[in-house]
């Protein structure tokens, strides 16, 4: 009798869920959808999502600051 590989079982379950198109991928929402495959190459940071922009530039007195 062949033993079941628990890692392979999890991968198969994830693949089944993804093929249905109804499952959310762990790690989402993000600015880029996460990969199911293990990363093998380094990469830079992801772009920020639109709702993650920095604060508007104002001084301590509330005056707008020209940052260009």
């Amino acid at each position: 009798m062949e033993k079941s590989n628990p890692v392979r079982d999890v991968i198969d379950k994830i693949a089944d869920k993804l093929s249905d198109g109804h499952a959310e991928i762990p790690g989402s929402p993000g600015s880029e959808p996460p990969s199911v495959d293990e990363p093998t190459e380094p990469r830079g940071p992801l772009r920020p999502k639109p709702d993650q922009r920095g604060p508007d530039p104002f001084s301590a007195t509330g005056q707008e600051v020209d940052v260009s």
Side-chain angles (χ1 to χ4, degrees):
M1 181 175 187
E2 187 176 320
K3 284 188 177 180
S4 156
N5 181 342
V7 174
R8 175 54 55 193
D9 293 343
V10 169
I11 291 172
D12 290 340
K13 284 181 183 180
I14 291 172
D16 289 342
K17 293 287 185 182
L18 291 176
S19 65
D20 291 346
H22 298 292
E24 279 196 34
I25 299 173
S28 65
S31 60
E32 183 177 303
S35 171
V36 177
D37 297 330
E38 182 175 355
T40 56
E41 296 291 325
R43 65 176 222 184
L46 295 174
R47 299 176 314 276
K49 295 189 294 184
D51 62 344
Q52 294 178 330
R53 65 181 178 88
D56 293 330
F58 286 98
S59 71
T61 60
Q63 299 294 316
E64 285 194 39
V65 178
D66 183 22
V67 292
S68 51

